[in-house]
Amino acid sequence: MLLKETGEFGLIGLISRLLPASPPDVVVGIGDDVAVLKTSGPEYLLATCDAQVEGVHFNRDIISPYQLGRRAIAINVSDIAAMGGNPLWALVSLAIPETTEIGYIEELYRGMREQAGLAGAAIVGGNLSRIMSGFVIDITLLGQTAPDRLVRRSGAKPGDAVLVTGFPGESRAGLELVRRPDLDVSTRSRASAVERHLTPQPRLREGQILARSGLVHAMVDVSDGVLADLGHICEASRVGAVVGIGGLPLSDAAMEICAASGEELLGWVLSGGEDYELLFSVEPGDVPRIQKLLEDETGLRCSRIGTITDEAGAVRLVHPDGTEAGLAKGRRGWDHFAGQ
């Protein structure tokens, strides 16, 4: 069997089976974006890693080294944010061609340093290797959280409301403009969408606020797409979900860019990925409180988009009248090895 047949998450399952069971000091292990580890201190240690690979995640003729540095740190911070944690230390491994200009590396580290500083983290080491072609940035980020503030994927309950911060789909809109710079859209929409794609900002403060509230049952960041990442919550929690199309937040920029491109907006919002918003579940009665809390403390909008059900593993789309919906185009989320 080939990797393109098993897919990314099938491969993760295989690797998990090849390794011994996690020791008692591993609170959360393989299968989540962040490992949660017990230490001798009062707080849990959080550990995550994510790579940016040229030709897969970025092209150097489209993104500046400064932007790439910020992006590489931001996507790791987003994983820590989804657990309500505090980022502390980053290790950076670079695989780079020997023909790379020193100025490029200087700008890359300027971006990484600034983004890490915004999160309260520091770059403390790493590794360098020559590569014959392409460019790879692999970052390991360590953080901490108090045990009573840890938010996992596995706590969603039937009847919970599903909420998402911000406007998923904006990064996908930015990607469309990167691919098709000749699209006729307003300067404002172009600038905001391209920035959202090239230099996403993790919802770190929002994740910490949500964890501190004690009201969130399960949470994940939207990296693979709303449907795919909601599926991760459902799988970990052994539940299902219904997503209502009528409740999806739609940004003006994404709508304008989508109209100009002739693409399907629903696919962008649900499956575009790389938005790094927070997707989470709470008791229905706590929705107004959570929405007010985030808006008052951060100014960020938070929308209810669905409900957790007891249909284990099923994530369904419905129209406002309750009829089933589907994606005419696009996919349910990113998978490295399935070609999606």
Side-chain angles (χ1 to χ4, degrees), residues 164-224:
V164 69
T165 59
F167 294 95
E170 285 191 325
S171 177
R172 177 61 181 82
L175 175 61
E176 193 70 14
L177 291 177
V178 167
R179 289 173 171 172
R180 302 167 62 184
D182 58 330
L183 283 179
D184 184 17
V185 298
S186 67
T187 301
R188 181 176 181 179
S189 291
R190 180 180 299 275
S192 64
V194 170
E195 181 179 12
R196 285 277 286 150
H197 180 67
L198 295 180
T199 54
Q201 292 306 304
R203 302 301 189 184
L204 179 60
R205 187 181 173 203
E206 290 80 0
Q208 294 168 343
I209 290 170
L210 290 170
R212 189 171 66 241
S213 75
L215 301 176
V216 177
H217 295 163
M219 185 158 60
V220 69
D221 71 326
V222 181
S223 54
D224 297 327

Side-chain angles (χ1 to χ4, degrees), residues 24-63:
D25 54 0
V26 176
V27 180
V28 178
I30 293 175
D32 201 295
D33 288 334
V34 180
V36 182
L37 311 170
K38 293 180 182 178
T39 67
S40 58
E43 295 199 320
Y44 287 153
L45 176 67
L46 306 177
T48 186
C49 60
D50 213 315
Q52 292 284 286
V53 179
E54 186 175 6
V56 177
H57 301 98
F58 70 93
N59 291 309
R60 276 193 279 173
D61 59 345
I62 290 173
I63 188 170

Side-chain angles (χ1 to χ4, degrees), residues 232-282:
H232 299 333
I233 286 179
C234 290
E235 181 179 2
S237 302
R238 298 181 181 179
V239 295
V242 173
V243 174
I245 290 175
L248 295 173
L250 306 176
S251 78
D252 292 340
M255 287 191 287
E256 180 185 352
I257 296 164
C258 190
S261 69
E263 296 289 330
E264 182 196 33
L265 182 58
L266 183 61
W268 287 9
V269 174
L270 292 173
S271 305
E274 296 193 316
D275 288 296
Y276 301 102
E277 298 291 351
L278 295 175
L279 181 71
F280 57 97
S281 79
V282 300

